[in-house]
Each structure stands twice: as C-alpha cells, then as structure tokens.
Amino acid sequence: MGTRAGRRAGRVPEVRCRVRRAGHGERRTASDLDGNRRPRRGRPRRTGRHHRRPVRRNQGSPDRLLPDRGRQPRGSGSDRLRDPGSLGRRGRGPPGHRGQVASWSSPVNERYDVVGETVRIEGARILATLIRTVGDVQLAEDAVQEAALAALGAWPVTGVPPEPRAWLTVTARRKAIDIIRRERARTGKERAGADLIELNTPEVETEEVVQDDLLRLIFTCCHPSLSPPTRVALALRTLCGLSPAQIAGVLLTTEVAATKRLVRARQKIAAARIPYRVPTEAELPERLPAVCAVIHSLYTAGHAPAEGTAAYDVDLCAEAIRLADLLHSLLPAQPTPTAVLALLLLTEARRPARVDESGEVVTLDLQDRSVWDQDLISRGVTLLNDSLERSARQADAYQLQAAIAAEHARVPSYTATDWREIVRLYDLLVKVSPSPAAELARAVAIAETGDVDTALTLLDELPPSSRRYAVRGELLARRSRYAEAADELQQALDAAAPNHPERPHRERRRNHFRNLAEQDL
C-alpha cells in the first residue's frame, strides 16, 4: 500500500516508451503502464526527454500516456473502406499545432483556373510541335493530355512557371517518350528510336518554328483524302480543343456523329501516312480552300458559340485571326487567305458593341457604332481591296462576305445602310456558295428594303432552325401578327440550347409580342 501511495503521490515519470498494443483477446495490465515494471515483451523502456517515439502526421502529440481502455472491438476491412485514403483527415496540420486547420483556399482554385487557361491557350501550339516530332496525332494528343494533368498536379503547389509553354512542351515530350517506350516491344515501331533521339533534345522551339508547326498541322487536317466536314472537325478538335458537342454545333450534326468522324479521321491519317508538311506551290490550289474553310469555321465557333452563356469566345476568335494572319503572311499573293483575314477583321471590329454592360446581346440596329474598332475596319477594307485586285474582281465567297461586312462598317448608322447593295451581294453569295445561313441573311436583307412579304416567303423555304424561327417572328411582328410572332419566338427558344446567349433577348421579345397581342383583343 505504501509503495502504491508513494507512486500516486509522485509525478508521472517523463517516459516516452513504446507501449506494445495488446493483441487480439489479450488485456493490457496496469503493470504495463505504471512505468516501474518492464513489459513482458517488446522493446526496453526509452529514457530521456528527447528520446521520443515516432508518431504519425495525423496522430497528435499528447504530453501524457493515454489511459487503458481495455478490450475494444477491432475495425474490419469494410470500416476502412468507408474512408479510403483517409480523406476525412486530410487538411489537418502537423502534430502539436491544434486549431490550425489547412483548407483549400481561393488562391488554390485560382491557380487551377490559371492552369486550365494556360493549357487551353497553349495546347494547340504544343500539340502542333509534338505532332511534327512524333508523326502521330493520337500519340501527341495523349502526351499533351498527360502533360496537362501533370501541370494540374504541380502548378497549384509550386505556382505557374515563368515559361508555361516551355514547361508543358518539355513535359509532353517526356510523356511521349514514356508512351513510345511502352510501345517499343510491339511490332511496327522501328522509328521509335529516332523519335526518342529527337524528343530528348532539351531546346524549346522558337515562336517562328511553332507557327510553322501550326501551319503544317492545318494542312495535315485539310488533306484532300479527307472529306470537307471531316477536315473541319479534325481541325477544330486538334487546333482549338473543341469538344465533340461544340464541333457538332458548328457542323450541325450530332455529338456521336462528330466523335465517330474524328476517330475515322485519325485512323485514316495514320493508315495513309499523310505527310505533316506545308504543301508545295503546285498543291496549294487544291489544299488552300479547305484551310481557309477551317479558319473561317474556327472564327465562327468563337463568334457564335454553340455552348455556354457568353455571346462570343474571345480566345477562339483571337486564335482564328492569328492563324488567318499567319496564313496570309505565308501566302501574301493568294487572294483567298487575304479575303479571309479581311472578313475576320471586319467582323471582329464590331465585337465591342455586341453586348451591353450586363453581358446581354445587342442587335445590330441598336449597337453603338462609336465603339467599333476603326483600325480593324481600315485594315480589313485595305485587305479586301487588295484581294479583289489580285483576283481580277472575280469574287469568291469570302470576298463577298467581306464586302457585305464592309458595307455595314462604312456607314455611320443602321438607317444609312445601303440594303439594296447588300441584297445584290447576297444574291451573288447564294450563287457562288449556297447555304441555309446565306439564304437566311439574304431574306433579312430583303426585309430591310421593305419587302417583308417576300422575305417571309423565302423563310418558309428554309429548313427549320432556332435562328429562322426568331427572324420569322420579328418579320411577322412587322405585319402586326403579334400572336404568331410570339409563337415563333417560343419555337426559337425551344429549339436553342438552354444556356444560349440570345435567350434573354428572345424571351423579352416574346413577352413583348404577347402583350401586344393581348392589347389587340
């Protein structure tokens, strides 16, 4: 008793011993914990203030030995599966720092946004360079995707490097090396060794080399062996990173069909060994129209996005203009690339007035023309005149569209527009390159001249679409047929995507026509 009382009255010895956990069915005794008797098994007791046992990061650091809880039920495998990887304990600080809990802060989310934006902007350039190196579109895409995943894992922790494109390019090369090494054991990989030698070069290509790689990629996507829709789909996927759903919106098809088209295109490029190069001058007449069509489709995808609430995609439009400018600088004597660049610049000049301060779409008749970019307009008109001179005034589809854009840009107001000249240009466009979009725009121009009935008749001949319903509703309202106009606007809303950027504008017009129809009753 005295001995026990003495031990109770004294301090708990400062001992950091490793207490053996009791085995299954075995109860630990007090003699294991009082510090005076050596446990029957296990390591000898450790002494000294700084002679401590190791602890786990999330275990904490108590300054005393924990009391014996006796026999407790052991956890089963199913219990451990309820929290795989100890996700519930992540974010806790190191032992001894209670109350300081780490969390995913907004700077981390901002870094993820920066990573995504950088990959989106630089992805096409990196992909073009890597395709030139490995000669395989699918392999290059896989390597770039793995490099993007590596950036998502590293940059939020280490920060965005000073040269993000160089970092992604080097990482993508290393990923390509890993992929090639995994495939070396298979047959048909004789060129893998040469690819590895070129991939191991530490230098990062200059901007001029990257631009040449982009042109090679454009011409590869636009090879004559591929059908025109396939060329556009492949270029939008590899150059712009558009999703199959976005590509389907541009091509007016389904997402499944767009995905199958992309798969078949990659397989055909690999099987036919389509060269990755800019064609010779003799091949340009056959290849150039497809390249111009791809660049124009790229700008259209940014100017009128099929997905999202934004009225336009600034990055996509800027990339299309950059590629058009690059193609024009490579082939300055060719009229078609010059006309494409002129069309894009004249259209881009109106972008600052296309949305109001709240982000809603502003129609052409209500736009503030004082904010139109006059420098782009001046350059676009100059390029258009140069293009027409080089083609001996024999206009193609891009020259006609650029001329229509120039007619809108040269007048100070909507009411001063020469609609009869625009109708004449649309008549030529429909003959040169007929399309539902051109015929719809022609019907609008005819209505602006005052011949609304003829425009309505032309609209009835066009295939149904969200924009056709909206235009027809506006024209019916000019004939005071407000109930029909409201119904057309409702069909336009039903046919468009739920987050279409023009939805608020069309909803307001529909409600306005309904109110007018009720007043007429």
Side-chain angles (χ1 to χ4, degrees):
M1 293 292 293
T3 303
R4 291 186 178 180
R7 286 200 297 266
R8 288 173 183 166
R11 293 176 53 190
V12 176
E14 291 190 15
V15 177
R16 300 296 187 267
C17 65
R18 176 168 178 154
V19 180
R20 180 180 59 84
R21 294 180 179 271
H24 182 68
E26 176 184 354
R27 182 188 299 272
R28 291 184 295 176
T29 62
S31 61
D32 293 326
L33 301 174
D34 59 8
N36 291 328
R37 294 177 59 185
R38 184 183 302 275
R40 287 171 293 184
R41 289 182 299 179
R43 297 181 179 179
R45 184 173 50 185
R46 298 177 180 178
T47 59
R49 182 177 181 84
H50 301 289
H51 195 181
R52 302 185 177 185
R53 64 186 176 88
V55 296
R56 295 176 59 185
R57 176 180 177 85
N58 59 4
Q59 185 176 341
S61 57
D63 293 329
R64 59 184 175 83
L65 295 177
L66 299 178
D68 182 20
R69 295 184 300 172
R71 181 180 300 177
Q72 299 292 336
R74 302 182 64 184
S76 64
S78 60
D79 296 330
R80 290 189 294 272
L81 291 176
R82 293 175 185 173
D83 188 16
S86 298
L87 297 177
R89 303 189 64 85
R90 288 187 180 179
R92 294 185 57 176
H97 294 273
R98 298 175 181 175
Q100 299 179 3
V101 180
S103 62
W104 294 105
S105 57
S106 57
V108 175
N109 294 330
E110 293 176 358
R111 291 178 182 177
Y112 276 114
D113 294 338
V114 171
V115 174
E117 189 69 14
T118 303
V119 172
R120 182 172 179 268
I121 295 174
E122 301 290 349
R125 303 183 182 186
I126 299 169
L127 179 62
T129 300
L130 204 58
I131 289 177
R132 172 177 58 82
T133 304
V134 301
D136 189 329
V137 176
Q138 187 63 53
L139 172 61
E141 287 184 345
D142 293 342
V144 172
Q145 289 177 2
E146 292 191 17
L149 292 176
L152 288 173
W155 292 2
V157 179
T158 62
V160 179
E163 296 291 338
R165 181 167 64 85
W167 192 98
L168 286 169
T169 301
V170 173
T171 304
R173 282 177 176 174
R174 292 171 180 170
K175 298 297 183 182
I177 291 173
D178 294 339
I179 295 173
I180 291 175
R181 282 173 175 166
R182 289 197 297 264
E183 299 292 329
R184 286 179 67 181
R186 300 188 181 184
T187 59
K189 300 296 180 179
E190 294 82 0
R191 59 171 300 174
D195 293 341
L196 287 174
I197 294 175
E198 187 172 358
L199 283 170
N200 279 314
T201 56
E203 296 82 5
V204 177
E205 284 74 7
T206 62
E207 186 67 23
E208 291 77 12
V209 175
V210 172
Q211 290 180 351
D212 291 341
D213 288 339
L214 283 171
L215 279 178
R216 293 188 186 99
L217 182 56
I218 293 174
F219 279 102
T220 301
C221 295
C222 300
H223 196 270
S225 62
L226 303 175
S227 64
T230 301
R231 300 170 192 169
V232 175
L234 187 60
L236 293 178
R237 180 60 179 167
T238 55
L239 288 170
C240 318
L242 296 188
S243 65
Q246 293 173 312
I247 295 172
V250 175
L251 299 179
L252 302 178
T253 184
T254 63
E255 182 176 355
V256 175
T259 302
K260 292 181 179 179
R261 191 184 298 275
L262 291 171
V263 173
R264 290 194 297 267
R266 294 190 185 98
Q267 292 174 348
K268 190 165 188 177
I269 289 177
R273 296 188 178 275
I274 294 176
Y276 181 69
R277 61 176 176 82
V278 177
T280 62
E281 186 175 356
E283 297 173 319
L284 281 179
E286 184 182 15
R287 304 279 294 277
L288 201 53
V291 175
C292 293
V294 165
I295 295 177
H296 181 252
S297 298
L298 170 60
Y299 184 83
T300 302
H303 182 73
E307 294 182 346
T309 57
Y312 50 80
D313 189 325
V314 178
D315 294 331
L316 212 54
C317 292
E319 183 68 13
I321 294 175
R322 189 185 66 80
L323 291 174
D325 203 352
L326 180 61
L327 186 63
H328 168 64
S329 63
L330 179 69
L331 305 169
Q334 294 290 332
T336 303
T338 306
V340 171
L341 180 58
L343 171 60
L344 268 54
L345 293 178
L346 290 168
T347 307
E348 184 69 11
R350 304 198 300 263
R351 182 175 58 82
R354 288 188 59 206
V355 295
D356 57 15
E357 296 180 354
S358 62
E360 294 190 6
V361 175
V362 179
T363 55
L364 182 62
D365 58 322
L366 300 177
Q367 290 182 9
D368 181 8
R369 302 195 174 204
S370 63
V371 300
W372 286 7
D373 194 326
Q374 296 300 320
D375 292 337
L376 294 182
I377 292 175
S378 177
R379 189 188 177 200
V381 171
T382 302
L383 289 170
L384 173 60
N385 290 331
D386 179 65
S387 174
L388 290 172
E389 289 294 334
R390 293 184 182 278
S391 63
R393 297 287 172 177
Q394 297 295 319
D396 61 11
Y398 301 110
Q399 291 170 325
L400 289 171
Q401 293 179 75
I404 294 170
E407 281 295 323
H408 286 294
R410 71 179 183 86
V411 294
S413 64
Y414 187 80
T415 55
T417 305
D418 188 353
W419 287 106
R420 297 193 180 279
E421 174 63 16
I422 291 180
V423 170
R424 185 184 73 84
L425 293 173
Y426 272 120
D427 290 340
L428 295 174
L429 179 61
V430 170
K431 292 179 181 178
V432 172
S433 179
S435 67
E439 293 175 357
L440 177 62
R442 176 173 173 266
V444 173
I446 291 174
E448 292 298 331
T449 63
D451 194 353
V452 177
D453 294 334
T454 300
L456 286 171
T457 302
L458 293 174
L459 289 177
D460 292 338
E461 300 173 359
L462 298 179
S465 66
S466 175
R467 189 166 297 277
R468 196 211 74 165
Y469 289 133
V471 170
R472 192 170 188 276
E474 295 289 343
L475 297 185
L476 288 172
R478 295 187 183 185
R479 288 289 178 259
S480 300
R481 297 160 62 178
Y482 299 118
E484 297 177 63
D487 293 339
E488 292 289 333
L489 265 297
Q490 183 59 52
Q491 292 187 64
L493 291 171
D494 295 339
N499 57 351
H500 195 277
E502 295 186 12
R503 175 171 287 274
H505 170 73
R506 292 176 180 177
E507 288 177 343
R508 286 196 303 269
R509 299 296 292 173
R510 178 202 60 190
N511 297 336
H512 176 63
F513 295 151
R514 285 178 177 175
N515 293 334
L516 293 176
E518 292 175 358
Q519 294 175 8
D520 291 342
L521 295 178

